[in-house]
């Protein structure tokens, strides 16, 4: 070990000898190997179930592939067909944008309203929490089938009750103008997961903030606007991001509702298997069209191109929301 004296006689920093450096490097490498060993299940799963399918999808998007023959390279032909030729794309994009702009905000607001109401309940909080969370546990297919039955314009109990009240019920899933609002009602019925997230966030707001606001004479609305919303704004951001991503991937409920409504609308089983987007493409969301091209028409290359575009749109929308969030999201560390 070597030392050097400064001008004042104080020893300078000790310089490790080469053997000590080697020992430190060996220990650091052992720690890295241990970390890699512990992370290896996740790394393998990430590569097998995310990286490999992503790369394969990107490559297939430049090919013509029908699952029966080998992929044939076609360059950007799939993307050209997607943006310039396929007439079903823009109705599907329009339906998806409608769902993002209308259904998603309604679901987030309803979940937040239910969570706020539960926190203000004097008794029976656990019962209300269970009641509003249970729909989220229902399988999406079963829940959609139940809603299609309840909102059946001819035999459903909803229109029967409206008729007794002197109101002519709409056609719901059988109507192009009411099919998406019907799916929105289905989504608002199943807001249990978001409700639990908001409920935990609201209950975590420090009590002294409410007490300080009350001492300043703030009412319920002022406390909600000035204390609750700023404090839980990171949770609201999280809820908005995951809700938008789910809306971009909206498939199961739209698929089941369209096929069941088509089959029950007088067209029989043939319509039920061929009329995705029924009625009049009003439930033809982008993922439904992707499924139709890939698994019904076996245009796997074209479906891969659609999937790649969906990935980049989801990434772009998420980044846009995060970039804009600094205007209204407040973090506990101070500042925004």
């Amino acid at each position: 070990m070597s030392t050097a004296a400064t001008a004042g006689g104080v020893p300078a920093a000790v310089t490790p000898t080469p053997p000590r450096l080697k020992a430190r490097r060996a220990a650091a490498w052992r720690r890295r190997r241990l970390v890699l060993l512990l992370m290896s299940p996740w790394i393998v799963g990430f590569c097998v179930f995310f990286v490999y399918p992503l790369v394969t999808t990107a490559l297939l998007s430049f090919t013509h592939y029908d699952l029966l023959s080998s992929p044939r390279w076609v360059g950007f032909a799939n993307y050209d067909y997607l943006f310039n030729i396929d007439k079903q794309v823009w109705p599907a994009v329009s339906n998806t944008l409608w769902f993002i702009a209308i259904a998603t905000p309604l679901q987030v607001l309803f979940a937040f309203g239910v969570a706020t109401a539960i926190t203000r309940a004097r008794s029976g909080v656990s019962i209300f929490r269970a009641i509003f969370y249970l729909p989220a546990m229902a399988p999406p297919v079963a829940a959609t089938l139940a809603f299609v039955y309840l909102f059946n314009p001819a035999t459903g109990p909803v229109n029967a009750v409206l008729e007794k009240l002197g109101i002519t019920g709409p056609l719901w899933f059988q109507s192009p103008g009411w099919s998406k609002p019907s799916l929105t009602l289905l989504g608002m019925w199943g807001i249990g997961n978001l409700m639990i997230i908001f409920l935990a966030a609201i209950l975590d707001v420090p009590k002294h903030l409410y007490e300080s606001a009350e001492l300043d004479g703030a009412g319920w609305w002022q406390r909600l606007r000035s204390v609750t919303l700023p404090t839980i704004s990171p949770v609201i951001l999280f809820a908005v991001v995951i809700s938008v991503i789910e809306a971009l991937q909206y498939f199961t409920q739209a698929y089941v509702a369209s096929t069941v409504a088509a089959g029950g609308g007088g067209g029989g089983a043939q319509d039920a298997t061929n009329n995705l987007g029924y009625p009049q493409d009003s439930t033809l969301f982008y993922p439904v069209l992707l499924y139709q091209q890939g698994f019904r028409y076996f245009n796997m290359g074209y479906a891969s191109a659609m999937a790649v575009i969906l990935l980049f749109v989801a990434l772009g929308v998420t980044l846009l929301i995060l970039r804009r969030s600094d205007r209204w999201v407040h973090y506990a560390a101070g500042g925004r």
Side-chain angles (χ1 to χ4, degrees):
M1 182 179 299
S2 60
T3 60
T6 62
V10 180
V14 177
T15 303
T17 57
R20 179 170 295 185
L21 281 175
K22 292 181 179 180
R24 289 183 180 179
R25 290 172 180 169
W29 175 239
R30 284 195 298 269
R31 287 194 297 270
R32 294 190 185 99
R33 283 189 298 180
L34 177 61
V35 171
L36 289 174
L37 178 64
L38 295 176
M39 290 182 62
S40 59
W42 179 87
I43 295 173
V44 172
F46 179 77
C47 293
V48 172
F49 296 107
F50 181 78
V51 175
Y52 173 74
L54 179 63
V55 174
T56 303
T57 300
L59 292 176
L60 288 177
S61 68
F62 296 100
T63 66
H64 172 75
Y65 181 46
D66 58 5
L67 292 179
L68 300 177
S69 56
S70 300
R72 178 169 53 85
W73 187 266
V74 295
F76 288 93
N78 289 325
Y79 293 95
D80 179 66
Y81 185 80
L82 173 64
F83 288 107
N84 300 317
I85 301 176
D86 192 351
K87 295 181 179 180
Q88 285 188 303
V89 169
W90 299 116
V93 171
S94 176
N95 292 331
T96 303
L97 291 177
W98 188 99
F99 210 78
I100 293 173
I102 297 178
T104 298
L106 287 176
Q107 292 175 18
V108 173
L109 289 174
F110 186 59
F112 176 76
V114 170
T116 304
I118 290 177
T119 58
R120 293 177 59 83
R122 298 295 182 180
S123 61
V125 173
S126 59
I127 297 176
F128 288 119
R129 185 168 51 197
I131 290 174
F132 282 102
Y133 181 72
L134 281 176
M137 301 181 65
V141 173
T144 308
L145 289 174
F147 258 69
V148 173
Y149 166 74
L150 291 173
F151 288 88
N152 188 296
T155 61
V158 173
N159 276 10
V161 172
L162 292 177
E163 185 178 357
K164 290 182 178 181
L165 297 175
I167 302 173
T168 302
L171 296 179
W172 301 111
F173 290 100
Q174 303 285 345
S175 168
W178 280 94
S179 57
K180 287 190 288 293
S182 301
L183 290 173
T184 302
L185 291 175
L186 172 60
M188 294 175 65
W189 176 75
I191 46 84
N193 291 326
L194 281 180
M195 183 272 295
I196 288 295
I197 294 173
F198 281 130
L199 183 61
I202 295 173
L203 293 176
D204 197 46
V205 177
K207 300 297 182 183
H208 66 85
L209 296 179
Y210 290 121
E211 295 171 355
S212 300
E214 289 180 2
L215 291 175
D216 291 337
W220 175 82
W221 172 251
Q222 287 77 15
R223 293 196 301 271
L224 176 67
R225 186 181 63 181
S226 303
V227 177
T228 305
L229 290 178
T231 305
I232 71 169
S233 55
V235 178
I236 296 175
L237 172 64
F238 171 77
V240 169
V241 169
I242 63 172
S243 298
V244 170
I245 293 176
E246 288 178 355
L248 286 169
Q249 300 175 344
Y250 193 72
F251 170 76
T252 303
Q253 293 86 340
Y255 176 86
V256 174
S258 63
T259 54
V260 174
Q270 188 68 23
D271 280 349
T273 56
N274 292 330
N275 284 344
L276 285 182
Y278 177 89
Q280 299 179 19
D281 287 345
S282 60
T283 58
L284 184 67
F285 294 89
Y286 189 88
V288 176
L289 180 61
L290 192 156
Y291 165 84
Q292 186 180 52
Q293 291 292 338
F295 296 97
R296 177 161 296 176
Y297 302 143
F298 299 106
N299 295 327
M300 280 298 177
Y302 182 57
S304 298
M306 295 183 66
V308 170
I309 295 299
L310 180 61
L311 171 65
F312 280 105
V313 169
L315 180 61
V317 171
T318 302
L319 292 177
L320 179 62
I321 295 174
L322 295 177
R323 287 286 300 272
R324 298 291 183 179
S325 66
D326 58 351
R327 300 181 179 180
W328 55 275
V329 176
H330 303 257
Y331 293 98
R336 296 187 176 185

